[in-house]
Amino acid sequence: MVLTDLHKGETAVVVRLAVEHEALKQRLLHLGLKEGKAVRLKTAMPFGGPVMIEVDGQAIGLRRKEAASIEVR
């Protein structure tokens, strides 16, 4: 399952960051989005727009493509 499969308000645990760009992966790690962290989908914009997630009480906006490369369970 990937992050974009979650429904609004649903929480999951990050299993793997399968992000292609190393710089983006490092940015996500600095924001606290790491393997084993709980993440909640706050909202997903329609028509393939960005998603807003919450990690450790911090809201993070991600492009849908980036969110789809984050595996959760």
Side-chain angles (χ1 to χ4, degrees), residues 1-3 13-18 67-73:
M1 172 190 295
V2 294
L3 192 56
V13 175
V14 175
V15 175
R16 187 169 83 102
L17 296 174
S69 63
I70 299 171
E71 296 178 20
V72 297
R73 64 178 153 102

Side-chain angles (χ1 to χ4, degrees), residues 27 30 34 36 41 46 48-49 51-52 56 61-62 73:
R27 179 72 178 140
H30 285 286
K34 303 175 182 177
L41 182 68
V51 298
M52 181 73 71
D56 290 336
L62 296 173
R73 64 178 153 102

Side-chain angles (χ1 to χ4, degrees), residues 17 23-34 58 60:
L17 296 174
L24 175 60
K25 185 174 184 178
Q26 290 302 315
R27 179 72 178 140
L28 294 174
L29 290 171
H30 285 286
L31 290 171
L33 192 61
K34 303 175 182 177
Q58 178 177 321
I60 301 171

